[in-house]
Amino acid sequence: MRTEKLSVNKVCMVVCAALFLLSIVMSCTIYFLTWNVLALCCGLLYAVLVAGCMAVFLVFVRRKLTLFSDALCKLLDDMMSADQSPPQYTEEENLFYKIQHRLSRLYEVLRESKSSIAKERADLQELISDISHQVKTPIANLKMLDATLLEQTVSPEKQREFLLAMDNQLDKLDFLMQTMIKTSRLEAGVITLEPKPQVIYDTLAAALGGILLNAEQKKIAVTVDCPETITATHDRKWTTEALFNILDNAVKYTPEGGKIHVAVVFWEMYVKIDISDTGIGIPEQHQGTIFKRFYREDRVHDAPGIGIGLYLTREIITQQRGFIRVDSEVGTGSTFSVFLPHS
């Protein structure tokens, strides 16, 4: 008989029978050695008591196992259905409580995992929907321009105009794809930021270098107040991109002849970078939603952009134990404050 096929009942019955037979054999042996009837009776009484104790023990163990298996099955049913929280058991120092406690912990882990998977699935569906919406317009424009060039005879000047328009739509698609790749890789942890203490002046200079030409074309005055010795714990490459996104928005939404001022201040725990402009401003009710992916206000839909820069900026700053605050008034301008830890 294979060991794994033996049940508890069978084992207990075999042990009980073996002890009973052993007691009888010992009683008979003592009787033949001493020819004492009293010794034989005592031996037989001992055998009966042993058998009775084993029977009581078997009933007790079977009862405990039945109760435990019922509780275990109920707990497993609750875990599979996820309809209710697992029951709370009185803390005891025994095997049953240890198993039940670990199963309860497993239930909590599985429930959190299920909730996390559901959230990730919802986020993925939202992302796919957003990408589809963003890609739809440039692709439709490209199809329309391509069909016009193929089906109609147009002058060379008109052809060049159409080709420039197609090039603009292709640039928009390329920018969208590159930005989405950066965002998805950052969220998935494929790209790891490596913050370390370094001078913020160089990082800010690199970000400003990307917007100075556009600012000059719009005659926007850009001023900077940043001591060269202030250090902050940050990843230079990705923080440059985050600051550039804020500065680029400041240039886009500031009318010609406006001003942009950047100020860096050393605080006790953070380095504060204020980027202020004299642009159109952000309504108070929208200041909490501008960091959402693909969010754009209706009044700026004609301006270039896809509404993902601030979302990416917040992800970059947050992953470096920093945060962003915005203060804005419609018609007056906005101030984006970036806080980076300096140690």
Side-chain angles (χ1 to χ4, degrees):
M1 182 181 296
R2 298 180 61 180
T3 305
E4 57 268 22
K5 291 186 178 181
L6 289 175
S7 66
V8 176
N9 290 343
K10 289 181 179 179
V11 172
C12 290
M13 290 177 65
V14 169
V15 172
C16 182
L19 289 175
F20 183 72
L21 292 176
L22 181 61
S23 300
I24 292 178
V25 170
M26 290 297 296
S27 300
C28 294
T29 302
I30 293 174
Y31 175 73
F32 287 121
L33 291 175
T34 61
W35 296 101
N36 190 333
V37 177
L38 181 60
L40 177 63
C41 293
C42 290
L44 293 176
L45 180 60
Y46 174 76
V48 172
L49 290 175
V50 168
C53 290
M54 288 300 299
V56 172
F57 176 74
L58 178 61
V59 172
F60 174 76
V61 170
R62 181 179 177 82
R63 175 62 178 169
K64 292 288 288 185
L65 289 176
T66 301
L67 293 174
F68 173 70
S69 62
D70 290 342
L72 182 60
C73 291
K74 184 178 185 303
L75 181 60
L76 292 174
D77 290 338
D78 292 340
M79 291 174 62
M80 289 185 289
S81 63
D83 291 334
Q84 57 184 0
S85 300
Q88 300 297 322
Y89 298 98
T90 304
E91 185 173 351
E92 299 176 3
E93 188 61 31
N94 55 47
L95 176 62
F96 303 114
Y97 172 75
K98 290 180 180 179
I99 296 176
Q100 290 166 343
H101 176 65
R102 281 161 177 75
L103 282 175
S104 297
R105 290 177 58 188
L106 175 62
Y107 174 84
E108 295 295 338
V109 171
L110 292 176
R111 188 166 63 175
E112 290 178 5
S113 176
K114 183 178 180 180
S115 176
S116 176
I117 292 173
K119 183 179 182 302
E120 290 178 0
R121 185 177 300 169
D123 291 342
L124 179 60
Q125 291 176 348
E126 181 182 359
L127 175 60
I128 293 173
S129 176
D130 289 338
I131 293 176
S132 175
H133 176 73
Q134 293 294 326
V135 170
K136 188 182 300 181
T137 301
I139 288 180
N141 291 338
L142 285 170
K143 286 183 177 180
M144 180 184 67
L145 294 169
D146 182 64
T148 302
L149 290 173
L150 290 175
E151 298 172 3
Q152 299 181 16
T153 302
V154 295
S155 63
E157 294 79 8
K158 204 67 175 177
Q159 286 183 6
R160 178 174 175 77
E161 182 181 338
F162 279 14
L163 289 174
L164 288 174
M166 293 176 70
D167 184 65
N168 181 56
Q169 296 299 318
L170 288 172
D171 286 343
K172 184 175 181 179
L173 279 175
D174 180 65
F175 176 75
L176 172 64
M177 291 299 105
Q178 293 298 328
T179 306
M180 287 306 306
I181 289 171
K182 290 178 183 177
T183 305
S184 60
R185 292 177 69 188
L186 192 64
E187 291 176 339
V190 176
I191 297 176
T192 304
L193 274 65
E194 298 180 357
K196 58 183 178 180
Q198 48 193 329
V199 177
I200 198 67
Y201 181 87
D202 297 334
T203 304
L204 185 58
L208 285 165
I211 59 101
L212 289 179
L213 179 60
N214 291 336
E216 185 178 348
Q217 290 175 349
K218 295 182 68 174
K219 297 181 175 58
I220 297 174
V222 180
T223 57
V224 181
D225 181 12
C226 176
E228 297 184 14
T229 57
I230 291 182
T231 61
T233 303
H234 66 286
D235 182 296
R236 175 158 292 165
K237 175 185 175 182
W238 285 99
T239 305
T240 297
E241 177 142 358
L243 295 175
F244 167 78
N245 289 335
I246 299 176
L247 290 165
D248 188 50
N249 281 347
V251 174
K252 285 179 185 177
Y253 304 126
T254 297
E256 291 191 9
K259 297 179 181 179
I260 295 176
H261 179 66
V262 181
V264 180
V265 182
F266 187 86
W267 283 14
E268 183 178 353
M269 297 182 62
Y270 292 94
V271 172
K272 179 186 178 187
I273 306 171
D274 283 336
I275 301 175
S276 305
D277 61 59
T278 57
I280 60 177
I282 306 167
E284 184 177 356
Q285 64 270 25
H286 294 160
Q287 292 178 14
T289 56
I290 58 175
F291 294 100
K292 290 184 177 180
R293 184 162 36 203
F294 297 119
Y295 175 81
R296 301 194 76 195
E297 291 185 46
D298 294 335
R299 59 186 179 137
V300 298
H301 274 181
D302 294 334
I306 59 175
I308 201 172
L310 289 179
Y311 173 81
L312 182 59
T313 295
R314 186 184 64 176
E315 290 293 314
I316 293 171
I317 300 302
T318 301
Q319 289 197 24
Q320 299 181 101
R321 297 185 296 114
F323 62 96
I324 302 177
R325 190 174 64 192
V326 59
D327 182 23
S328 181
E329 184 176 344
V330 176
T332 301
S334 305
T335 297
F336 283 82
S337 300
V338 176
F339 295 83
L340 292 172
H342 55 72
S343 62

